[in-house]
């Protein structure tokens, strides 16, 4: 059957059942892709349990004609893209439907709250990369829906891509990508409906989560439910143990019901609040970078060996007020200048051993400050 100029395939007609690494696997015992039999046309209409996983594919002729094998990289999977399991009025008659493809289709999603991008989050990405193309799936708009007070992020939004790029050597040389869902759209979903959304609407092929992960309406589902439902829907699921904070006992101020000594964004926030940048580096697996947006020349005051800017220019969470040695001013991609960092109630200050560097605000208004191992 041909619908509005599109051919609709079911992935099982290609022998595709799950993905692992750079290969797609079928039911063959030697883990090789079985030969492609001539596919039948698929109506795209769901017919019960057999369609729970990837209800339909669209074969893109431009990609299919240039690809002779199924591979897995950071782009689409050899011309195969996932389509939402719905038939619109346009598909019944009239104009061709717009192609329904999600950026996460065919990928493996790591589930969590990825505020700090710490070493525990990195481990989730590493495990996802062992199955396929890794994505970090998080929910946006939680604070607004749940009435939480707004707070500065640990990692500035403009700096997240750099951090994820640094994870590529751990993730089979693949840079994990981020995929965001509006919390309001999934808040009332049961655990089963959430997994159904991942498979039939978003087209993911695997899920990775920590042992303490909970999901679904009112956090009704736990890691065991995640494994069970993923199996039912044909997804590969991997549950990993929490990455423990080996050097620190649970600290006052970062204790909560889930606190069992694991690395967490809460611990990172607490370490920043105490000014222990050595501890922050251990939790993050890198130096903390404070991003500064200089909007105009008046925001940056240059006085021989000193630069100052108002705290309103900060894009993410700074450490405790005080003086920090062993810091570095990052100008652009390559210019790194050693400095000392200090902060008071209204301003941040950078002090240099030589004359403060001249910064052309018109061409470079985004600065970074890396904190080496030090304590306030």
């Amino acid at each position: 059957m041909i619908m509005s100029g599109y051919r609709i395939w079911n992935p099982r007609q290609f022998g595709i059942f799950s993905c692992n690494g750079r290969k797609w696997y079928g039911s063959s015992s030697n883990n090789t892709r079985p030969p492609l039999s001539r596919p039948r046309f698929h109506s795209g209409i769901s017919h019960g349990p057999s369609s729970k996983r990837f209800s339909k594919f669209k074969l893109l002729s431009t990609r299919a004609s240039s690809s002779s094998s199924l591979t897995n990289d950071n782009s689409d999977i050899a011309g195969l893209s996932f389509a939402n399991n719905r038939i619109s009025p346009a598909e019944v008659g009239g104009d061709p439907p717009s192609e329904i493809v999600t950026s996460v289709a065919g990928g493996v999603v790591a589930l969590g709250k990825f505020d700090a991008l710490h070493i525990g989050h990195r481990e989730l990405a590493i495990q996802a990369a062992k199955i396929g193309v890794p994505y970090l799936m998080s929910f946006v708009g939680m604070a607004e829906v749940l009435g939480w007070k707004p707070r500065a992020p640990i990692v500035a939004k403009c700096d997240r891509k750099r951090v994820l790029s640094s994870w590529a050597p751990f993730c089979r040389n693949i840079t994990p990508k981020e995929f965001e869902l509006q919390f309001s759209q999934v808040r009332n979903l049961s655990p089963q409906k959430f997994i159904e959304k991942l498979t039939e609407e978003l087209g993911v092929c695997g899920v990775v989560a920590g042992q303490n992960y909970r999901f679904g309406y009112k956090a009704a589902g736990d890691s065991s439910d995640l494994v069970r439902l993923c199996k039912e829907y044909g997804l590969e699921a991997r549950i990993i143990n929490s990455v423990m904070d080996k050097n620190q006992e649970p600290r006052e101020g970062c204790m909560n019901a889930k606190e069992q000594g694991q690395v967490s964004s809460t611990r990172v926030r607490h370490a920043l609040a105490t000014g222990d940048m050595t501890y922050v580096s251990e939790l993050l697996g890198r130096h903390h970078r404070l991003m500064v947006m200089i909007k105009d020349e008046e925001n940056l005051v240059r006085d021989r060996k000193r630069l100052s800017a108002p705290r309103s220019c900060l894009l993410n969470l700074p450490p405790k007020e005080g003086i920090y040695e062993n810091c570095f001013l990052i100008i652009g991609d390559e210019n790194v200048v050693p400095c000392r960092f200090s902060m008071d109630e209204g301003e941040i200050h950078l002090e240099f051993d030589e004359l403060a560097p001249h910064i052309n605000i018109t061409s470079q208004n985004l600065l970074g400050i890396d904190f080496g191992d030090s304590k306030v």
Side-chain angles (χ1 to χ4, degrees):
M1 177 179 181
I2 301 179
M3 297 179 60
S4 303
Y6 288 93
R7 289 184 175 183
I8 308 299
W9 310 109
N10 187 303
R12 296 183 185 276
Q13 294 173 334
F14 288 88
I16 300 173
F17 290 85
S18 64
C19 63
N20 188 356
R22 293 187 177 274
K23 296 181 179 179
W24 286 79
Y25 290 86
S27 58
S28 176
S29 60
N30 61 358
N31 285 338
T32 59
R33 178 170 58 87
L36 301 181
S37 58
R38 183 174 181 175
R40 296 171 296 169
F41 292 112
H42 189 268
S43 66
I45 302 175
S46 174
H47 293 292
S50 63
S51 65
K52 280 187 175 179
R53 183 173 186 231
F54 305 144
S55 55
K56 55 183 176 174
F57 276 53
K58 288 184 179 179
L59 185 59
L60 308 182
S61 59
T62 55
R63 290 293 301 272
S65 62
S66 63
S67 178
S68 60
S69 62
L70 294 177
T71 58
N72 189 357
D73 55 20
N74 271 323
S75 60
D76 290 337
I77 308 299
L80 290 175
S81 56
F82 299 82
N84 199 340
N85 189 22
R86 293 185 177 88
I87 297 179
S88 66
E91 290 179 286
V92 177
D95 297 332
S98 59
E99 185 183 317
I100 305 174
V101 178
T102 67
S103 61
V104 76
V108 180
V109 294
L111 301 174
K113 299 177 183 177
F114 299 100
D115 180 18
L117 295 179
H118 54 61
I119 57 176
H121 295 149
R122 186 179 68 188
E123 184 61 27
L124 288 172
I126 291 172
Q127 296 304 318
K130 292 180 179 179
I131 306 174
V133 179
Y135 288 82
L136 305 185
M137 178 177 285
S138 57
F139 307 108
V140 294
M142 292 185 68
E144 294 80 359
V145 173
L146 299 177
W148 296 346
K149 293 182 179 180
R151 57 183 184 177
I154 295 175
V155 182
K157 187 173 183 179
C158 61
D159 195 37
R160 294 178 70 86
K161 186 175 180 180
R162 175 192 68 87
V163 175
L164 294 178
S165 297
S166 72
W167 291 2
F170 302 94
C171 299
R172 296 173 42 251
N173 292 321
I174 302 174
T175 297
K177 296 181 179 181
E178 297 197 277
F179 184 83
E180 295 180 336
L181 284 175
Q182 286 294 331
F183 179 66
S184 59
Q185 297 177 3
V186 299
R187 180 188 184 187
N188 296 321
L189 295 181
S190 67
Q192 180 174 346
K193 287 295 184 181
F194 177 69
I195 299 301
E196 187 175 293
K197 183 180 182 70
L198 294 184
T199 57
E200 297 190 359
E201 189 172 326
L202 300 180
V204 305
C205 76
V207 175
V208 175
Q211 65 187 71
N212 297 322
Y213 186 76
R214 302 195 68 90
F215 67 107
Y217 183 58
K218 294 186 177 179
D222 59 16
S223 58
S224 62
D225 295 318
L226 184 66
V227 171
R228 174 179 57 80
L229 289 169
C230 284
K231 183 177 181 181
E232 180 180 343
Y233 280 81
L235 291 181
E236 181 164 352
R238 186 167 295 182
I239 304 300
I240 69 169
N241 294 329
S242 299
V243 176
M244 305 305 292
D245 181 3
K246 298 179 180 179
N247 300 321
Q248 301 289 336
E249 295 296 328
R251 291 185 169 193
E252 183 181 355
C254 63
M255 294 289 290
N256 56 52
K258 296 182 180 180
E259 177 64 52
Q260 298 176 355
Q262 70 270 24
V263 174
S264 66
S265 296
T266 301
R267 282 181 172 247
V268 176
R269 286 184 177 276
H270 180 72
L272 285 169
T274 60
D276 190 345
M277 303 311 294
T278 300
Y279 184 32
V280 171
S281 297
E282 293 172 357
L283 295 172
L284 296 179
R286 65 182 186 278
H287 291 155
H288 179 60
R289 178 170 293 187
L290 186 62
M291 299 302 298
V292 185
M293 174 68 77
I294 305 299
K295 298 179 181 179
D296 53 56
E297 292 284 353
E298 295 181 357
N299 287 142
L300 189 65
V301 178
R302 186 172 183 268
D303 181 17
R304 293 182 57 80
K305 297 183 178 183
R306 182 182 174 109
L307 289 175
S308 300
R311 288 182 62 165
S312 59
C313 293
L314 300 182
L315 300 182
N316 58 315
L317 186 64
K320 177 183 178 181
E321 293 178 7
I323 300 174
Y324 296 86
E325 302 287 342
N326 196 25
C327 295
F328 301 89
L329 174 64
I330 313 298
I331 307 172
D333 296 328
E334 299 180 357
N335 195 355
V336 179
V337 185
C339 64
R340 287 175 297 279
F341 173 89
S342 62
M343 184 173 66
D344 53 37
E345 291 184 359
E347 293 184 317
I348 63 169
H349 309 281
L350 300 176
E351 297 181 359
F352 305 88
D353 292 335
E354 300 179 357
L355 290 177
H358 176 73
I359 300 173
N360 186 353
I361 302 302
T362 58
S363 61
Q364 185 61 52
N365 63 347
L366 191 63
L367 307 176
I369 303 169
D370 274 8
F371 291 82
D373 295 344
S374 63
K375 295 183 180 181
V376 66

